[in-house]
Amino acid sequence: MTCEIKIITVENFLGKVNCYLLKKDTGFILIDTGWSNKRAYLEKELEKLGCSPDNLKLIILTHGDFDHSGNSAYLSREFNAKIAMHSDDSGMIEQGDMFWNRKKANVLIRIAIKALSGISGLKPEKFKPDLNLDEGNDLSEYGFDAKVLHVPGHSKGSIGILTDEGNFFCGDLLENLNKPAPGSIIDDPEEFNSSIEKLGGLKIKTVYPGHGKPFPMELLIIKNR
């Protein structure tokens, strides 16, 4: 059975972030969980799409930033679903610090992010992931023909999910706000370049970014040429 992809775009005054709900007859997997101050909207969308505590198999975080992990702990409790991510980013949500395990960022950026995370209900809830995901792990036990790719660059523990059908959920490695491009924050350019090179050797048809619209992989290949 083909995996259905439902895009839930969660928006607040800081911007938009995509959550991806993957559906098969065996149930759902949710990739990323959006801003915590838009929880009611996300819950409503999940309900409309048929996602419930009986059929949400897993919550996957592509990385630890609070715009992607904001509702994870809450949804895990309400939907009785485990949370999975890469161990190199787990400290971000365990300590409530999105700069954990990142290179030293601009001081002003750190101050701004920490200030924003404490207002308007954006302060992340600390929690410990249930499962660690790494390169080559597959999701077949959850009923999905897909595997995990470790794609550091935006963060040390950034991962992507590649389905057998060629759909790639890349987190913030790439974005498509006006055109396909590197994510707006690249923590390690060398690791980012290695991750992009890795993608070139894979059978990817469509890229689903954390920010912006999905796009054909061919557009990225042409751009790199």
Side-chain angles (χ1 to χ4, degrees):
M1 177 182 175
T2 300
C3 175
E4 293 183 43
I5 302 168
K6 305 295 184 180
I7 305 173
I8 304 173
T9 301
V10 182
E11 180 180 6
N12 67 12
F13 68 99
L14 291 172
K16 300 177 181 180
V17 60
N18 295 325
C19 305
Y20 294 104
L21 189 64
L22 310 188
K23 178 183 178 181
K24 291 192 75 174
D25 55 1
T26 52
F28 296 87
I29 286 180
L30 179 63
I31 301 177
D32 292 333
T33 65
W35 306 102
S36 59
N37 68 339
K38 294 299 180 180
R39 181 168 297 164
Y41 170 76
L42 177 61
E43 278 193 287
K44 183 178 179 181
E45 291 301 302
L46 291 174
E47 182 180 353
K48 282 168 55 178
L49 294 169
C51 184
S52 70
D54 297 325
N55 56 31
L56 182 58
K57 303 296 185 181
L58 189 67
I59 297 168
I60 296 175
L61 299 181
T62 57
H63 58 291
D65 289 351
F66 62 82
D67 57 331
H68 292 256
S69 64
N71 294 302
S72 303
Y74 174 80
L75 291 176
S76 178
R77 291 191 299 269
E78 294 298 309
F79 285 74
N80 193 31
K82 291 183 177 181
I83 302 170
M85 67 185 302
H86 196 282
S87 59
D88 283 348
D89 271 19
S90 62
M92 293 183 190
I93 46 88
E94 290 177 27
Q95 300 180 27
D97 179 8
M98 64 179 283
F99 293 104
W100 181 86
N101 206 24
R102 276 185 160 125
K103 291 185 174 182
K104 189 174 181 179
N106 182 289
V107 175
L108 292 177
I109 293 177
R110 283 180 177 266
I111 293 173
I113 292 295
K114 287 183 179 294
L116 287 170
S117 67
I119 64 174
S120 301
L122 289 174
K123 189 172 183 178
E125 179 181 353
K126 299 177 184 178
F127 63 92
K128 185 177 178 62
D130 301 292
L131 302 169
N132 291 325
L133 294 179
D134 206 345
E135 179 76 22
N137 290 161
D138 72 70
L139 304 178
S140 58
E141 66 178 286
Y142 303 98
F144 289 79
D145 298 320
K147 65 180 180 181
V148 177
L149 300 178
H150 184 207
V151 286
H154 175 70
S155 66
K156 292 288 185 183
S158 285
I159 59 172
I161 304 300
L162 177 60
T163 72
D164 284 1
E165 297 160 359
N167 299 310
F168 178 55
F169 303 88
C170 71
D172 282 1
L173 182 73
L174 298 164
E175 63 182 34
N176 185 27
L177 301 179
N178 297 308
K179 60 183 178 180
S184 56
I185 297 176
I186 300 300
D187 181 62
D188 189 318
E190 185 175 340
E191 288 190 336
F192 171 82
N193 290 333
S194 295
S195 294
I196 295 300
E197 287 180 11
K198 178 193 291 188
L199 300 187
L202 301 172
K203 295 180 180 179
I204 299 174
K205 294 180 180 178
T206 306
V207 178
Y208 291 82
H211 302 275
K213 296 180 179 181
F215 61 90
M217 183 64 180
E218 184 64 24
L219 287 182
L220 186 66
I221 295 172
I222 292 172
K223 183 175 183 297
N224 285 341
R225 285 173 182 166

